[in-house]
Amino acid sequence: MTENTTTNFSVRSRNRTMMMCLCAMFTALIAVGAFIKIPVPVVPFTLQYEFTMLAGLLLGKKYGTISVILYVVLGLCGAPIFTQGGGFGYVMIPSFGYLIGFIPGTFVTGLIAHKNENPSMKRILAANFAGLAIVYTIGMAYVYIIKNFFLDGDGITFWPLLLNCFILAVPGDIVLCLIAAAAAKKIIPATEKYRK
């Protein structure tokens, strides 16, 4: 092995180790974000989305998605890190669809944001809103399916679904998109070297 090859391997190994540490940190931040909440009907407003979005922006599509998957798996295995606890039975909670949506939402956020090195604010905002659209689409579909086909009760019709799961919830998440974009624009250059 040449000295240059050894150096490149060492740098890649160090970068991978740093990214895995950051994955663990974001998994913990998402868990903490679940408990910073404002109660609203059906889907409580939390800071989980802020941290899943930042995971995609700062860690990129691969490592950001890993951190979210790890969070969801830990919660399903019984760690009480979801908004209302944990365990596999959580799949029957209507808001679980938003947790599922965080995974592709984070991937798409990272994918769009890092098409270019040092992305512009416009690209970061586009990435955030694309991720947000995915989270809400999956989350609202899941609420509808669980409430209408799996839980006892009257179910939910389109207007209450739109009101409780989108109109009341999305303004706060739009603010989070703007805050995350401003923070990420300053922090992305510091994490860029580790994603390579």
Side-chain angles (χ1 to χ4, degrees):
M1 226 187 249
T2 66
E3 185 178 337
N4 194 33
T5 305
T6 304
T7 302
N8 286 341
F9 177 78
S10 176
V11 168
R12 281 195 309 272
S13 179
R14 187 194 75 219
N15 288 352
R16 191 173 299 116
T17 301
M18 175 61 83
M19 292 306 289
M20 292 312 291
C21 289
L22 289 172
C23 276
M25 182 187 81
F26 268 96
T27 299
L29 286 171
I30 297 165
V32 169
F35 297 100
I36 303 171
K37 58 187 173 185
I38 299 167
V40 294
V42 185
V43 182
F45 176 78
T46 70
L47 289 185
Q48 287 170 301
Y49 178 62
E50 177 81 357
F51 293 123
T52 61
M53 184 174 23
L54 282 170
L57 291 173
L58 300 180
L59 306 185
K61 63 183 182 185
K62 177 183 173 183
Y63 289 105
T65 304
I66 289 171
S67 69
V68 179
I69 290 171
L70 183 57
Y71 168 72
V72 173
V73 168
L74 285 171
L76 289 175
C77 287
I81 56 175
F82 295 152
T83 306
Q84 300 174 51
F88 191 74
Y90 207 88
V91 297
M92 295 308 292
I93 304 258
S95 62
F96 183 70
Y98 290 88
L99 298 178
I100 296 170
F102 288 155
I103 297 169
T106 300
F107 181 86
V108 168
T109 298
L111 176 70
I112 293 172
H114 296 289
K115 282 277 189 189
N116 302 332
E117 216 171 277
N118 195 17
S120 66
M121 180 62 82
K122 184 177 176 182
R123 178 169 286 280
I124 292 170
L125 284 170
N128 288 354
F129 287 118
L132 183 66
I134 289 168
V135 170
Y136 271 85
T137 300
I138 294 172
M140 290 173 66
Y142 198 89
V143 168
Y144 183 84
I145 291 166
I146 290 292
K147 282 188 158 284
N148 288 314
F149 300 106
F150 291 95
L151 298 179
D152 293 332
D154 296 333
I156 191 167
T157 58
F158 178 74
W159 173 245
L161 177 72
L162 187 66
L163 176 65
N164 293 315
C165 299
F166 183 75
I167 294 171
L168 293 177
V170 81
D173 284 331
I174 289 172
V175 171
L176 293 182
C177 284
L178 299 174
I179 292 169
K185 182 63 181 162
K186 294 187 179 297
I187 302 170
I188 283 172
T191 61
E192 188 79 49
K193 61 184 177 183
Y194 298 115
R195 284 192 304 275
K196 296 176 181 175

